[in-house]
Amino acid sequence: MKFAIVSKGDARSEQIKGTMTQYLTDFELEYNANEPDLVISVGGDGTFLEAFHTYVHRLGSTAFIGVHTGHLGFYADWVPDEVEKLIIEIAKTPFQVVEYPLLEVIIRAKSGGSEDRFLALNEATIKTADGSVVFDVEIKGEHFETFRGDGLCVSTPSGSTAYNKALGGGIIHPSLDAIQLTEMASINNRVFRTIGSPLILPKHHTCLLKPIVDRSFLIAIDHFTTNYTNVKSIQCRVAEERIRFARFRQFPFWNRVRDSFVADDNH
Ligand code: NAD
């Protein structure tokens, strides 16, 4: 089996990366950064997002696992003390795989016909540095509302505990193929009206955001933000692709939610 390690780059993460590389190589696994079967992220959730985007072109043949060197992460859920146990588990391959849904985002340009396609593990957010964002929001080809406000967040189920949660969105179990649309400070008065509640869309229910006022938009896909002008539409839906996690032990999603947000003593 071929593996690669993406490290946060700090001393602790680099040290763990070195230990894991050495032991896994001793077990006759091959370090291969180009075509890994398993990608190990060492750092935090940000490092895991980086690892995901580095290998997003080979999701069908790469599984991911995260070791955290800071506080408990949602994706980085192995602690440094467990690394030796993890190495032995990895060396014993084959491993079990658990799949989570992803968000597909297609940004189409007004002129020139170009489009950019992204996959997000957590979410896409659309904001502007230039007043309010104003969009027509279509769901499944039908006009739903005209949104005016600070922005919108469209998240995956596993991203529902990240930015989405801070916006008052619900936490969705990643076994559900869905995306969630949450508002950022929508303007609601006699002139402008939005639903005001997070919307959860199932697979095949595409959400299309069509700018009404010509603005430049700050579009973030997970941890990476790009400034877009000339935007005709932003299309969001559950992606056909999924992320594959290598599972070596049970750590149910609701336990991770509890340990991260409610209590960390397992009571
Ligand atoms: P960062 O360094 O600002 O860290 C953001 C925090 O979000 C970290 O504590 C991280 O552990 C946590 N996080 C990331 N993914 C998570 C998930 N799926 N569930 C629960 N917590 C999660 O930024 P970063 O490390 O580059 O991560 C980028 C992510 O930060 C974005 O995808 C977004 O979800 C999140 N973010 C959150 C807010 C907010 O909550 N107000 C604002 C901006 C970005």
Side-chain angles (χ1 to χ4, degrees):
M1 189 182 64
K2 294 176 281 212
F3 72 99
I5 302 183
V6 176
S7 152
K8 186 179 176 184
D10 61 299
R12 181 99 175 98
S13 306
E14 284 297 299
Q15 183 226 327
I16 291 171
K17 176 180 175 175
T19 309
M20 292 192 86
T21 305
Q22 191 192 323
Y23 284 128
L24 288 172
T25 315
D26 289 348
F27 276 118
E28 299 195 341
L29 275 72
E30 180 193 337
Y31 193 98
N32 185 323
N34 293 324
E35 294 182 331
D37 304 305
L38 179 70
V39 169
I40 304 161
S41 136
V42 181
D45 287 327
T47 317
F48 194 97
L49 292 173
E50 189 63 36
F52 167 76
H53 285 280
T54 305
Y55 293 101
V56 72
H57 57 289
R58 36 178 298 118
L59 292 177
S61 39
T62 298
F64 295 82
I65 188 151
V67 176
H68 68 83
T69 50
H71 63 88
L72 170 66
F74 257 78
Y75 300 114
D77 59 9
W78 284 79
V79 298
D81 288 352
E82 297 173 305
V83 157
E84 278 180 25
K85 189 170 159 249
L86 178 59
I87 289 166
I88 292 164
E89 292 294 333
I90 294 172
K92 279 199 311 203
T93 55
F95 46 78
Q96 267 195 325
V97 164
V98 179
E99 295 187 348
Y100 281 4
L102 298 168
L103 165 71
E104 178 195 68
V105 181
I106 298 176
I107 303 166
R108 296 196 172 88
K110 247 191 276 180
S111 51
S114 69
E115 62 176 50
D116 288 341
R117 178 180 186 268
F118 300 98
L119 293 177
L121 176 57
N122 268 350
E123 76 282 291
T125 59
I126 302 110
K127 305 185 206 175
T128 181
D130 188 17
S132 302
V133 299
V134 190
F135 291 126
D136 271 336
V137 179
E138 284 181 13
I139 297 175
K140 256 191 122 192
E142 301 276 346
H143 182 262
F144 183 78
E145 65 182 14
T146 302
F147 177 90
R148 184 181 289 254
D150 281 2
L152 285 168
C153 170
V154 187
S155 67
T156 63
S158 59
S160 67
T161 48
Y163 206 155
N164 167 78
K165 184 174 181 297
L167 295 170
I171 298 181
I172 302 185
H173 194 279
S175 60
L176 300 173
D177 271 332
I179 56 171
Q180 183 166 189
L181 191 65
T182 39
E183 299 182 350
M184 295 177 196
S186 55
I187 301 175
N188 269 289
N189 53 34
R190 282 152 60 126
V191 184
F192 306 113
R193 179 129 323 271
T194 65
I195 186 76
S197 308
L199 297 178
I200 297 171
L201 305 183
K203 203 167 184 182
H204 306 306
H205 287 208
T206 302
C207 169
L208 196 65
L209 309 173
K210 292 177 161 172
I212 299 176
V213 180
D214 203 11
R215 292 267 150 82
S216 67
F217 295 100
L218 295 167
I219 303 182
I221 305 292
D222 295 333
H223 56 318
F224 191 71
T225 305
T226 308
N227 194 20
Y228 273 89
T229 52
N230 188 36
V231 176
K232 179 180 163 203
S233 66
I234 302 159
Q235 177 185 299
C236 301
R237 64 180 172 194
V238 177
E240 286 302 326
E241 298 92 330
R242 295 159 73 80
I243 182 170
R244 300 162 69 241
F245 294 92
R247 184 158 79 179
F248 299 104
R249 59 144 152 73
Q250 302 280 341
F251 192 1
F253 178 73
W254 295 119
N255 291 16
R256 262 179 288 153
V257 172
R258 179 198 59 201
D259 292 355
S260 295
F261 296 115
V262 188
D264 60 6
D265 57 4
N266 290 330
H267 293 114

